[in-house]
Amino acid sequence: INAASGRARVQLGNELADDLRRFVVFTRDENAAQGSASWLPRLEIDNLGEFSVRGDANINGNLIMSGGAIEFEAGTARESNAPPWNIYHHSQNGVEELRIEMAAPQSGPGGNNRVVVGAWFKGPDENGQVKEMFHPCLTIEDNGNVTVHGNLVVNGLITANSLKQGSLTEAARNASTSAVMSGILATSSRLPEITGRQPGRLVAISGATSILETFSAEAIADRLAADPGSINAFAERMKESHPNAASSLITALSNA
């Protein structure tokens, strides 16, 4: 079937035995050299029902895969000026990547373009109101920030060049410091019961110092002032584990 314009053609069935196509839509190649084949099959359906589209395709609606899958064949990197918001398979030097490409930040710190993985359920929104809506589970921003909106379960190792601790409110720091110092005192009071340990020596507080480091100096000072009995236990811990820091603390207190 030829269009009156001579620029499109439709094939129904086949004439040749080795032609497995049953339906084909051709258009002329406007860029073809003079005398070369100018008809290009843009849409094909073969005898097994395989559907092929050559060229860019726009779908103004939903694409539903019923019991199948979307396969991305490997290709090279896209041009830097190519339109963003694409998912494609990139292959280079034996490394295979499935890329989800968003737009780059236009100006400022970025973060306006995001790739978000989430689910639709009833839960609290950013204001604490319970709503049935789309809730993000994982957000990746164009500035490289990654946010996990829930519990992160790791069954392997986490490797990082640097770690940044989150900040606590003053109330949270005071409460946590109080809990840690109470644990120090409780442990110290039971030390005489531990075989091979001298009374008054501070042990069995694994990581207590690293926990204390997350609290403000004001909170630690307030806790020690509120319970003078904890000062000796704290001093003993400092002398045992951090003698240089203990000496610096003594000097600082002497000069205060």
Side-chain angles (χ1 to χ4, degrees), residues 157-179:
L157 299 176
I158 295 179
T159 302
N161 294 327
S162 63
L163 294 176
K164 181 178 180 181
Q165 294 181 345
S167 59
L168 298 176
T169 64
E170 188 66 24
R173 283 195 296 266
N174 290 335
S176 300
T177 304
S178 177

Side-chain angles (χ1 to χ4, degrees), residues 53-244:
V53 177
R54 290 178 175 84
D56 296 337
N58 297 322
I59 299 177
N60 298 315
N62 296 326
L63 175 62
I64 300 175
M65 305 297 297
S66 299
I70 299 177
E71 179 181 352
F72 296 89
E73 294 187 353
T76 57
R78 293 171 2 99
E79 297 292 336
S80 60
N81 59 351
W85 302 110
N86 284 272
I87 302 176
Y88 58 96
H89 180 182
H90 174 254
S91 177
Q92 185 175 8
N93 300 327
V95 178
E96 308 294 327
E97 295 179 350
L98 181 62
R99 293 185 173 181
I100 302 176
E101 183 181 301
M102 71 183 86
Q106 298 299 316
S107 61
N112 293 327
N113 301 311
R114 304 173 179 179
V115 173
V116 182
V117 179
W120 190 279
F121 60 89
K122 181 179 291 186
D125 61 9
E126 58 183 8
N127 297 319
Q129 301 296 321
V130 177
K131 293 183 179 180
E132 187 170 354
M133 55 182 287
F134 176 84
H135 293 274
C137 298
L138 177 69
T139 299
I140 304 173
E141 301 178 359
D142 55 17
N143 57 11
N145 290 339
V146 179
T147 303
V148 179
H149 304 270
N151 296 330
L152 178 63
V153 180
V154 179
N155 293 322
L157 299 176
I158 295 179
T159 302
N161 294 327
S162 63
L163 294 176
K164 181 178 180 181
Q165 294 181 345
S167 59
L168 298 176
T169 64
E170 188 66 24
R173 283 195 296 266
N174 290 335
S176 300
T177 304
S178 177
V180 171
M181 297 304 296
S182 297
I184 292 175
L185 296 177
T187 304
S188 301
S189 65
R190 294 189 57 205
L191 288 177
E193 303 174 11
I194 303 177
T195 304
R197 296 291 182 180
Q198 299 177 2
R201 296 183 63 83
L202 186 62
V203 295
I205 312 179
S206 176
T209 303
S210 63
I211 295 175
L212 286 173
E213 289 172 354
T214 65
F215 307 132
S216 68
E218 292 81 4
I220 297 175
D222 291 343
R223 176 55 185 162
L224 292 174
D227 188 355
S230 64
I231 296 177
N232 291 334
F234 181 72
E236 187 71 19
R237 173 65 173 177
M238 290 292 294
K239 288 190 296 182
E240 273 194 0
S241 303
H242 307 286
N244 293 333

